């Protein structure tokens, strides 16, 4: 028997009946359970039944309190609740269209909210799938700007050995190529891990063995691999003899020594891992031409388990001592080495920083939409209760107690909310599967996989949302409706109702709230859409069509540094031979791709405001034809001579750099010191263009000659005369034909890259627009309802006025004015809210002021048009009232 | 006495009558009710038993049991003197009704 669960369920039950009712019922279940031999596979079912017992008892108690229980008939209380629910269901069935619209509206409102919640839950809140995940922590060295940094192997060793309260493992992600056909093939996500990694996580192998500290000894001495259960099943067909087989990783043979436990896919939640390789094999699995013992080259993350009785604070203290010791030992690396310890979740802190703000923004939009939905349904149910006032008054005068009447009104809302939340779960599942199938740009999220299974937390959240909605739009109006002077009401004719004005006021208030929230959503979406449009139209500063990129990694292709130059020349020659290619150049990185390289330069005669002579400037390595290939004009000087650059290192700087460092002198011919690597001569100044994102603030940038020192990764830029895609396909075949080592691992049109940085903003804009339009439509329905009800209520008055000579146009104008006042009041609040929302979204709105008059005016125009449409039908009806018929009635 | 309506329901009568013979476990009582076509859920049944306890018609106690190597607590019930009296009273009531139903009804009288 799961003791903790039993205690939990017991707490759900009122204390007075725990011993006499819950305990024996639980014992019966337990007996049944034990007599079956307690199969563990059915534990979940058993727990569910136990929880149902507790919930049933609680319901019975609540029913007894609400006065719906029958003292002499066990089960009668529950029966009374069920009867009321059945009556409510029958009433709802009587108006199928209305019910369906209410349920669908709520399903969309909750579904959108649930989809975002379940994604955020899966991406950001889930713990690591390992025993006692609450004792796991992530440890980061802090970078100079306080961000999370990576750590080098020697620094990791110091941290591991210097913090006894923490069992610390290191790990790094790598994309590896699995060789030979029949073994899964293709590029897979691998995790390079220290020997204690699996021990720290507390995992046991599914088959074979996992790594131990032996694998930490000797670089390149352990070509062994552990496979994920999924990979083993999918790629090796769950072969029982997989352990002991050989697997080719990046061209080298590795022995499979074990299979990781089922369900474990590594500790980078968003990037499911297929295989694990010892850190000591990094030269093969993650070829960067570097050895493990290089201190200062940070490339790994750390994950640790707190030893028993060690707290997070104590672990942090121990690591602070390690950092202080590090500063003492390596003063040349500068002071300020520091660690931070955070509780480990399945998502890395980097992923959470990347996705958190976007998910938070989308979540806020869906919450607004849900609020509009609730306000709309509130209005609807209030109108329904209004129509039932006579029935409620009769029941009250016949002796029904008030709690029973409130419950009766709430039952309808509960049914709608229950159906809406359940349908919302389906909508959410549909939306998340749609989101998972989206082809997210790699430059945004790396090899991130959106996984959002609907777990218990999501279901609990859905139930909470449903209950909240039901209480908000059901119980509250029911409570108000039950405060009714029955005799007064029944004495009257039933149409002039005391409190009718108050009810109309609260319905109007709900419409104002809906208008305001819709306007907030519309303003936000308008600003986002405008921003995306402007950034899209802006472009990076060069022509992005007819431009393609082919990437070759020399380490992966085993190209020795000495062979890089001739092979690069061969690659460019092969590309230029294609008749459709007009220009081609090699670069270390493409503009707008992820990643950034910066170096410390010293510029003679320049002293930074901080007093330092050296400045950190972003740079990249490019071939001499790079600028002509991109089509970026030189504003001064020229690019370097490829042959001369080999002997005399040269550089081209951008306009911003020229203005910043040589405001009054000619930048061409100036020299720049590259500490430890000699002097560069500036041969030209190129026009500014975007390096990281479109619309960015221009920053100083240096282009160094790739001819001097060809980089390890080549991004071959190809400008074509026509459509680039067929040319790229041709080149992807021609390059390996020229030399087998020139096999590109990525071939993409530049447009793909251009669109990628805008992806989150585009997604956000699309989401906000969709929710905004939906909210506006709901608001129109709400507005129509209120105006229409008001016209029905005033039919007699309008008839009288028309009989006395009022013009129909006047009546029409008056009804339209009523709707206009409501819309204007809502719009007033909404525009202020929209401005506040825009300030919150400032990071996403680039190139547009948060008070862009165009956006606000368009929203106002859309709202006016909608108000007119929503109010026109009831207004026409009011103007067409037949005075004689109205007065006769 | 025999003319007063019984204080207990048919279901309660069934349970108390079963307990008259011997002390029984809640689980066995539920089986007995099932044999009479009464399918009560565990919470409903134990709520009824709880009410009988509150009315002092039965007393309940826990008993330890070992099933498949697991210690399991089980609620056992015994009828009280008041419980027995209630069963007797119900029996008398229905017996009197049966006897009354067996006599010829005189003309002009209202049974």
């Amino acid at each position: 028997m799961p003791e903790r669960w039993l205690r939990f369920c017991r707490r759900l039950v009122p204390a007075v009946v725990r011993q006499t009712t819950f305990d024996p019922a639980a014992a019966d279940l337990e007996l049944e359970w034990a007599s079956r031999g307690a199969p563990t596979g059915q534990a979940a079912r058993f727990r569910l039944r136990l929880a149902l017992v507790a919930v049933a008892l609680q319901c019975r108690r609540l029913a007894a309190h609400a006065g719906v229980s029958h003292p002499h008939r066990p089960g009668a209380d529950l029966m009374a609740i069920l009867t009321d629910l059945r009556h409510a269901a029958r009433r709802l069935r009587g108006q199928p269209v209305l019910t369906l619209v209410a349920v669908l509206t709520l399903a969309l409102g909750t579904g959108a909210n649930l989809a975002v919640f379940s994604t955020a839950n899966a991406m950001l809140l889930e713990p690591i799938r390992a025993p006692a995940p609450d004792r796991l922590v992530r440890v980061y060295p802090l970078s100079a700007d306080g961000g999370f940094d990576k750590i080098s192997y020697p620094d990791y060793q110091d941290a591991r050995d210097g913090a006894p309260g923490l069992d610390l493992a290191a790990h790094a992600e790598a994309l590896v190529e699995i060789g030979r056909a029949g073994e899964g093939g293709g590029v897979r996500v691998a995790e390079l891990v220290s020997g204690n990694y699996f021990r720290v996580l507390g995992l046991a192998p599914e088959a074979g063995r996992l790594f131990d500290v032996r694998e930490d000894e000797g670089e390149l001495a352990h070509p062994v691999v552990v496979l994920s259960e999924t990979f083993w099943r999918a790629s090796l067909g769950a072969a029982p003899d997989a352990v002991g087989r050989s697997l080719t990783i990046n061209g080298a043979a590795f022995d499979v020594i074990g299979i990781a436990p089922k369900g474990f896919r590594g500790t980078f939640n968003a990037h499911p891992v297929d295989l694990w390789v010892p850190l000591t094999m990094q030269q093969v699995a993650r070829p960067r031409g570097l050895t493990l013992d290089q201190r200062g080259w940070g490339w790994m993350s750390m994950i640790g388990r707190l030893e028993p009785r060690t707290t997070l604070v104590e672990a942090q203290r121990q690591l602070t001592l390690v950092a202080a010791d590090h500063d003492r030992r390596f003063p040349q690396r500068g002071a300020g080495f520091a660690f931070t310890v955070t509780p480990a979740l399945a998502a890395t802190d980097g992923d959470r920083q990347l996705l958190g703000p976007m998910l938070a923004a989308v979540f806020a939009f869906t919450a607004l939409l849900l609020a509009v939905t609730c306000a709309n349904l509130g209005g609807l149910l209030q109108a329904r209760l209004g129509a039932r006032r006579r029935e409620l008054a009769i029941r009250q005068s016949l002796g029904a107690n008030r709690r029973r009447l409130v419950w009766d009104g709430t039952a309808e809302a509960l049914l709608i909310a229950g159906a809406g939340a359940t349908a919302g779960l389906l909508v959410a599942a549909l939306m998340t599967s749609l989101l998972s199938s989206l082809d997210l740009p790699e430059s945004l999220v790396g090899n991130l996989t959106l996984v959002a299974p609907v777990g218990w937390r999501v279901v609990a959240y859905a139930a909470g949302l449903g209950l909240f909605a039901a209480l908000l739009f059901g119980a509250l109006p029911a409570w108000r409706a039950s405060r009714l002077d029955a005799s007064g009401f029944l004495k009257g004719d039933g149409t002039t109702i005391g409190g009718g004005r108050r009810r109309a006021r609260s319905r109007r208030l709900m419409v104002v709230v809906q208008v305001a929230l819709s306007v907030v959503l519309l303003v936000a979406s308008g600003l986002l859409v405008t921003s995306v449009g402007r950034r899209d139209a802006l472009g990076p500063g060069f022509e992005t069509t007819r431009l393609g990129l082919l990437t070759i990694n020399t380490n992966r292709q085993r190209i020795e540094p000495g062979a890089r130059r001739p092979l690069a020349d061969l690659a460019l020659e092969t590309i230029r031979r294609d008749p459709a290619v007009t220009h081609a150049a090699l670069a270390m990185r493409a503009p707008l791709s992820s990643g950034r390289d910066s170096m410390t330069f010293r510029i003679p005669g320049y002293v930074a405001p901080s007093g330092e002579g050296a400045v950190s400037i972003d740079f990249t390595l490019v071939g001499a034809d790079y600028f002509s290939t991109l089509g970026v004009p030189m504003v001064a000087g020229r690019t370097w001579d490829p042959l001369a650059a080999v002997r005399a290192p040269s550089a081209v700087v951008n306009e911003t750099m020229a203005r910043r460092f040589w405001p009054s002198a000619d930048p061409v011919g100036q020299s720049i010191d590259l500490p430890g690597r000699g002097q560069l001569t500036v041969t030209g100044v190129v026009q500014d263009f975007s390096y990281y994102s479109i619309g960015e603030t221009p920053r100083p940038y240096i282009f160094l000659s790739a001819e001097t020192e060809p980089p390890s990764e080549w991004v071959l830029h190809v400008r074509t005369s026509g459509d680039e895609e067929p040319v790229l396909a041709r080149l992807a075949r021609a390059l390996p034909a020229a030399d087998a080592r020139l096999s590109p691992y990525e071939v993409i049109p530049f447009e793909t890259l251009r669109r990628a940085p805008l992806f989150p903003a585009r997604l956000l804009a699309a989401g906000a627009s969709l929710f905004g339009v939906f909210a506006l439509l709901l608001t129109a329905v709400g507005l129509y309802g209120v105006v229409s009800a008001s016209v029905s209520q005033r039919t007699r008055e309008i008839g009288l006025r028309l009989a006395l000579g009022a013009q129909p146009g006047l009546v029409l104008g008056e009804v339209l004015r009523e709707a206009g006042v409501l819309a204007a009041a809502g719009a007033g609040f909404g525009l202020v809210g929209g401005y506040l929302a825009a300030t919150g979204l400032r990071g996403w709105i680039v190139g547009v002021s948060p008070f862009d008059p165009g956006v606000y005016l368009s929203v106002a125009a859309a709202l006016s048009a909608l108000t007119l449409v929503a109010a026109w039908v009831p207004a026409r009806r009011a103007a067409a009232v037949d005075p004689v018929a109205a007065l006769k009635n | 006495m025999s003319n007063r309506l019984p204080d207990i329901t048919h279901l309660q009568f069934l349970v108390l009558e079963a307990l008259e013979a011997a002390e029984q476990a809640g689980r066995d009582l539920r089986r007995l009710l099932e044999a009479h076509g009464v399918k009560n859920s565990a919470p409903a049944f134990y709520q009824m038993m709880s009410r009988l306890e509150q009315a002092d018609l039965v007393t309940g106690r826990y008993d330890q049991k070992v099933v498949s190597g697991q210690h399991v607590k089980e609620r056992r019930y015994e009828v009280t003197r008041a419980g027995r009296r209630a069963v007797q009273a119900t029996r008398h009531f229905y017996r009197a009704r049966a006897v009354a139903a067996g006599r010829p009804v005189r003309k002009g009288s209202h049974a």
Side-chain angles (χ1 to χ4, degrees), chain A residues 1 17-25 27-38 52-53 56-57 60-61 69-75 77, chain B residues 7 9 11-12 25-28 30 40-51 53-54 62 65-75 77:
Chain A
M1 164 72 104
V17 297
R18 268 178 209 155
Q19 209 189 347
T20 53
T21 314
F22 176 79
D23 288 349
D28 265 18
L29 265 182
E30 204 177 357
L31 266 169
E32 193 186 322
W33 191 247
S35 57
R36 279 191 200 162
L52 283 177
V53 166
L57 283 172
R60 281 159 181 278
R61 179 174 162 265
S69 67
H70 193 296
H72 297 302
R73 282 173 51 210
D77 41 8
Chain B
D7 294 329
T9 64
L11 211 59
Q12 289 168 335
R27 211 166 124 82
D28 299 330
R30 278 180 68 198
N40 252 343
S41 68
F45 172 76
Y46 285 107
Q47 202 168 31
M48 175 182 81
M49 294 308 292
S50 168
R51 284 184 181 131
E53 279 189 71
Q54 275 170 15
Y62 280 104
K65 212 172 168 183
V66 180
V67 181
S68 308
Q70 289 186 33
H71 286 274
V72 177
K73 280 203 309 183
E74 179 180 61
R75 188 98 174 147
Y77 298 94

Side-chain angles (χ1 to χ4, degrees), chain A residues 597-611:
Chain A
D597 301 283
S598 61
M599 228 191 293
T600 309
F601 295 91
R602 205 177 285 274
I603 294 163
Y606 177 82
V607 179
S610 61

Side-chain angles (χ1 to χ4, degrees), chain A residues 437-456:
Chain A
S437 63
L438 275 184
D439 196 11
L440 293 178
E442 199 184 315
S443 59
L444 164 70
V445 285
N447 55 335
L448 179 109
T449 312
L450 280 172
V451 279
V454 173
W456 69 268

Side-chain angles (χ1 to χ4, degrees), chain A residues 545-618:
Chain A
T545 53
R546 297 182 295 104
L547 184 64
L549 305 169
L550 298 116
T551 310
I552 297 172
N553 185 299
T554 57
N555 289 320
R556 191 175 285 183
Q557 301 297 336
R558 306 271 163 123
I559 300 172
E560 296 298 321
R564 283 182 194 168
R565 188 73 213 278
L567 270 176
D569 288 343
L570 175 64
L572 287 170
E573 208 177 292
T574 312
I575 292 170
R576 285 179 188 134
R577 219 176 285 142
D578 193 291
V581 173
T582 56
H583 292 87
L586 179 148
M588 184 167 78
R589 224 182 259 292
L592 307 184
S593 62
S594 58
R596 168 178 294 185
D597 301 283
S598 61
M599 228 191 293
T600 309
F601 295 91
R602 205 177 285 274
I603 294 163
Y606 177 82
V607 179
S610 61
E612 283 183 31
V615 279
S616 174
I617 302 173
D618 293 357

